[in-house]
């Protein structure tokens, strides 16, 4: 349950980071079922050896191999080149036998993926809250070995419990980096009204063990004081620059105040405005109507400075000088430019929890469920928005700026794990070479989280977060989907679904992705069966 430290009259005083969860529980909500045990995965092993792999190390370097990789416990202790392609390997040059071995001849090994913008299933989305195991197994089955939990909406107490269990290997879950929601926005939850309150709250948050803070905005005086305090305390920060706050601080403003990363695209086009400060909203706009919120959001880049203009160049130069990071989460808005495609994705039937599927449908008052009047015009505007947005992000990467892969799944028809792979596809669409995509999803993400010395690339001494691919992921990221990629077998003239990712190794624990996916299918089928039983008779 949510932690409390004291009482004030009959009202509990909630610990920093638990405010949203406490409010939800006080209004009849239910806590998301936690993961408490591990029923999948083998290891860590005293000595694990991966034999004959082609290595893609996450730095952007091209593949090389064959390589024998030695892991002891949860650490990589040796990467040994054992020959050249298409030539027999001399057994004498190979490392000694392991307690457990994986044959990787003809296979590819990459670092585990880092989802830099994730939610462990936001509890306010679904009336029948899926257990954390559903989310964790989908992530692991898609190669995600670290997540930056952006908001800790289940409560910081809840998230820290899961973080510690994941670190100990007692649950089947990725490493969790916890960024708690900064409660200073009216339309979500606002309890901080002065810089002094903000600094005190952040100090208490740091003492509790949070890794960082998720902002949506605040008044400029509070936001500036909070970011300065984050720097003083060593708390990293990310901001979804909400439309209710962005006119007073765009992404460049907050970057100059010390923000670590901008999430999504909000605040970036506003930093490129030349002839306006406020977006050209229609007169009947209402932010509380999700259709207005997201349809108008697709018009922002078309109102901003165009590529190559002085304003465009100057803003990019300043972001680069500051060493700023963008986490674009292209995938989460994919339905905005093609609702039919996203709604009918191959995985929904078997992998989308029933109450999530219900929530994704048109529903007034539901976040991201704004399809009640979505139109061709909306999709065309969003396609243009993507063209300009992707142009900026790709150019920023080309000039040395950091861009990371984040999914924000659990909303807008995007499902955990699958949504992360979609993000990889869209980074490639933006102009990233597949090696640059993998770098954004591994080492760049580790730099953002401040854990680059421990993970993000395949190097001796780093944590054993690795993925074993039966096929080259650089050829087609669709091979990473849990459903696989549709292929025609020319010999049988039958359609096959080829899946490339066979094993996820997280902290030295080896997971069979097929087993994880089977578990999820069973959970999802049960969620549909339960809903059918509970449905009222017609």
């Amino acid at each position: 349950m949510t932690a409390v430290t004291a009482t004030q009259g009959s009202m509990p005083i909630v610990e920093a980071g638990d405010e949203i969860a406490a409010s939800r529980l006080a209004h009849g909500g239910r806590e998301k079922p936690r993961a408490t045990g591990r029923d999948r995965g083998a290891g860590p092993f005293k000595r694990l050896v991966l034999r004959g792999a082609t290595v893609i190390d996450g730095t952007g370097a091209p593949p090389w191999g064959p390589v024998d990789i030695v892991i002891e416990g949860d650490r990589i202790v040796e990467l040994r080149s054992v020959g050249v392609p298409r030539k027999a390997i001399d057994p004498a040059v190979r490392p000694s036998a392991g307690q457990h071995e994986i044959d990787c001849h003809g296979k590819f090994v990459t670092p585990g993926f880092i989802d830099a913008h994730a939610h462990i299933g936001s509890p306010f989305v679904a009336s029948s809250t899926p257990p954390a195991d559903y989310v964790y197994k989908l992530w692991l089955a898609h190669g995600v070995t670290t997540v930056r939990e952006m908001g800790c909406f289940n409560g910081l107490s809840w998230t820290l419990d899961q973080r510690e269990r994941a670190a100990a290997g007692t649950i089947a879950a990725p490493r969790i980096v916890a960024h708690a929601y900064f409660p200073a926005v009216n339309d979500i939850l606002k309890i901080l009204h002065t810089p002094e309150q903000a600094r005190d709250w952040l100090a208490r948050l740091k003492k509790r063990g949070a890794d960082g803070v998720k902002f949506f905005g605040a008044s400029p005086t509070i936001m500036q004081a909070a970011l300065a305090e984050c720097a003083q305390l060593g708390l990293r920060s990310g901001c979804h620059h909400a439309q209710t706050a962005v006119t007073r601080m765009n992404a460049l403003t907050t970057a100059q105040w010390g923000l670590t990363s901008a999430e999504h695209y909000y605040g970036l086009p506003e930093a490129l405005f030349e002839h306006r400060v406020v977006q050209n909203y229609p007169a009947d706009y209402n932010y509380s109507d999700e259709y207005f919120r997201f349809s108008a959001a697709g018009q922002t880049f078309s109102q901003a400075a165009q590529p190559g203009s002085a304003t465009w160049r100057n803003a990019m130069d300043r972001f680069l000088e500051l060493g700023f990071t963008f986490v674009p989460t292209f995938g989460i808005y994919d339905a905005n430019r093609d609702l039919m495609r996203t709604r009918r994705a191959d995985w929904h039937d078997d992998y989308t929890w029933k109450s999530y599927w219900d929530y994704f449908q048109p529903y007034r008052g539901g976040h991201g469920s704004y399809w009640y009047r979505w139109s061709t015009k909306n999709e065309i505007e969003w396609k243009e928005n993507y063209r300009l947005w992707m142009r900026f992000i790709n150019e920023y990467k080309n000039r040395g700026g950091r861009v990371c892969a984040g999914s924000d799944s659990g909303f807008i028809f995007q499902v955990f794990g699958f949504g992360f792979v979609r993000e990889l596809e869209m980074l490639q669409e933006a102009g990233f070479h597949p090696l640059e995509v993998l770098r954004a999803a591994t080492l760049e993400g580790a730099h953002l989280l401040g854990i680059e010395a421990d993970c993000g690339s395949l190097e001796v001494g780093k944590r054993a977060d690795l993925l074993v691919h039966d096929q080259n992921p650089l050829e087609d990221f669709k091979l990473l989907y849990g459903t696989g990629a549709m292929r025609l077998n020319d010999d049988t003239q039958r359609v096959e679904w080829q899946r490339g990712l066979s094993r996820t190794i997280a902290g030295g624990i080896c997971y069979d992705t097929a087993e994880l996916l089977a578990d999820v299918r069973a959970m999802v089928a049960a969620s549909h069966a339960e809903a059918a039983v509970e449905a009222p008779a017609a």
Side-chain angles (χ1 to χ4, degrees):
M1 296 295 291
T2 301
V4 295
T5 57
T7 59
Q8 183 176 353
S10 61
M11 294 295 292
I13 299 174
V14 179
E15 288 199 62
D18 283 332
E19 294 87 359
I20 284 184
S23 175
R24 188 184 71 256
L25 293 173
H27 289 86
R30 289 178 288 177
E31 182 180 85
K32 172 178 283 296
R34 308 180 189 206
T36 58
R38 177 161 66 87
D39 60 352
R40 291 295 183 191
F45 299 97
K46 183 177 181 180
R47 184 177 172 86
L48 169 65
V49 183
L50 281 61
R51 300 285 188 184
T54 299
V55 166
I56 306 172
D57 67 12
T59 67
W64 65 287
V67 180
D68 284 0
I69 305 169
V70 182
I71 298 165
E72 293 181 356
D74 69 345
R75 294 287 135 183
I76 300 170
V77 299
E78 186 174 8
L79 293 166
R80 184 183 298 186
S81 176
V82 293
V84 295
R86 301 181 183 276
K87 186 176 181 180
I89 298 173
D90 180 359
V93 305
R94 312 195 83 161
S96 59
Q99 177 191 7
H100 184 73
E101 298 201 358
I102 300 175
D103 182 1
C104 293
H105 295 87
K107 302 180 189 295
F108 294 77
V109 173
T110 68
F113 297 138
I114 296 172
D115 190 334
H117 190 115
H119 302 288
I120 307 172
S122 297
F124 48 81
V125 167
S127 56
S128 174
T129 305
D133 280 328
Y134 165 73
V135 181
Y136 297 151
K137 287 186 175 183
L138 278 171
W139 275 333
L140 290 171
H142 289 88
V144 176
T145 56
T146 298
V147 296
R148 181 172 66 146
E149 219 302 349
M150 290 300 283
C152 298
F153 295 124
N154 297 301
L156 181 60
S157 298
W158 188 99
T159 307
L160 294 178
D161 167 78
Q162 297 291 275
R163 186 184 72 179
E164 298 313 309
R165 292 175 190 266
T170 58
I171 60 174
R175 174 197 296 212
I176 298 168
V177 177
H179 279 44
Y181 165 69
F182 185 73
V185 179
N186 286 320
D187 65 299
I188 301 177
L189 178 68
K190 184 173 183 177
I191 63 170
L192 303 178
H193 303 277
T194 68
E196 293 73 23
Q197 289 176 342
R199 285 189 286 265
D200 174 71
W201 185 89
L202 289 165
R204 289 186 284 119
L205 191 79
K206 174 67 175 181
K207 187 175 181 180
R208 296 197 64 203
D211 300 297
V213 184
K214 165 73 175 292
F215 291 92
F216 284 85
S219 70
T221 55
I222 292 176
M223 191 76 174
Q224 191 167 10
L227 289 171
E229 188 69 11
C230 283
Q232 182 71 24
L233 295 170
L235 288 168
R236 291 174 183 256
S237 55
C239 186
H240 167 152
H241 293 79
Q243 287 100 319
T244 53
V246 75
T247 55
R248 295 197 287 177
M249 63 195 82
N250 59 47
L252 186 53
T253 311
T254 53
Q256 292 172 147
W257 290 345
L259 182 71
T260 307
S261 65
E263 311 301 305
H264 317 306
Y265 64 93
Y266 308 105
L268 175 55
E270 288 83 358
L272 301 173
F273 281 173
E274 291 181 308
H275 306 297
R276 64 185 71 249
V277 174
V278 178
Q279 179 184 342
N280 185 20
Y281 292 110
D284 58 345
Y285 179 93
N286 188 324
Y287 178 73
S288 297
D289 185 318
E290 291 274 301
Y291 170 77
F292 278 110
R293 174 179 171 180
F294 283 95
S295 61
Q299 302 165 357
T300 50
F301 275 102
S302 65
Q303 297 174 26
Q306 292 301 293
S309 65
T311 300
W312 175 285
R313 293 195 308 271
N314 291 339
M316 186 171 296
D317 287 345
R318 186 64 181 132
F319 280 123
L320 289 165
E321 290 169 4
L322 293 166
F324 195 61
T325 299
F326 287 100
V327 185
T329 69
F330 289 130
I332 194 59
Y333 306 110
D334 196 19
N336 291 355
R337 61 182 190 162
D338 193 341
L339 173 59
M340 188 181 298
R341 175 202 174 279
T342 311
R343 185 174 181 273
R344 297 310 310 151
D346 294 322
W347 46 83
H348 284 310
D349 289 347
D350 290 334
Y351 294 101
T352 302
W353 193 273
K354 176 62 165 65
S355 57
Y356 268 96
W357 176 251
D358 291 343
Y359 193 89
F360 293 156
Q361 308 311 313
Y363 168 59
R364 287 191 178 274
H367 179 49
S369 303
Y370 42 83
W371 314 111
Y372 35 85
R373 53 183 292 194
W374 205 249
S375 68
T376 300
K377 176 177 180 291
N378 296 141
E379 293 191 353
I380 291 170
E381 288 175 344
W382 266 94
K383 287 173 182 176
E384 176 66 6
N385 207 55
Y386 266 97
R387 184 184 71 82
L388 296 167
W389 178 19
M390 287 180 163
R391 173 82 176 264
F392 188 96
I393 294 298
N394 189 52
E395 185 177 330
Y396 190 71
K397 174 265 300 177
N398 289 343
R399 294 188 57 192
R402 178 169 296 121
V403 177
C404 300
S407 69
D408 196 25
S409 293
F411 307 95
I412 317 179
F413 291 108
Q414 293 297 348
V415 179
F416 310 97
F418 292 96
F420 185 80
V421 176
R422 183 61 182 147
E423 183 69 11
L424 305 187
E425 289 191 289
M426 294 183 75
L427 286 167
Q428 185 174 359
E429 179 186 341
F432 286 49
H433 184 279
L435 284 169
E436 294 174 331
V437 174
L438 291 183
R439 182 169 174 260
T442 56
L443 187 56
E444 293 288 71
H447 277 286
L448 170 64
L449 274 57
I451 56 176
E452 69 278 6
D454 192 51
C455 72
S457 58
L458 300 185
E459 298 180 65
V460 170
K462 289 196 173 184
R463 176 179 149 107
D465 291 344
L466 307 92
L467 308 178
V468 179
H469 306 261
D470 292 341
Q471 301 183 57
N472 187 352
L474 300 176
E475 292 184 356
D476 188 359
F477 289 125
K478 291 188 188 301
L479 295 167
L480 294 171
Y481 284 124
T483 51
M486 185 171 64
R487 297 289 185 267
L488 177 67
N489 185 318
D490 285 323
D491 294 330
T492 64
Q493 289 299 297
R494 293 181 179 275
V495 170
E496 298 176 348
W497 289 85
Q498 297 182 10
R499 194 167 56 82
L501 181 61
S502 59
R503 286 184 177 86
T504 295
I505 302 174
I509 300 173
C510 300
Y511 296 95
D512 183 320
T513 58
E515 291 180 348
L516 296 169
L517 291 166
D519 289 347
V520 172
R521 289 195 299 272
M523 284 190 264
V524 169
S527 78
H528 283 264
E530 180 181 353
V533 170
E534 293 177 351

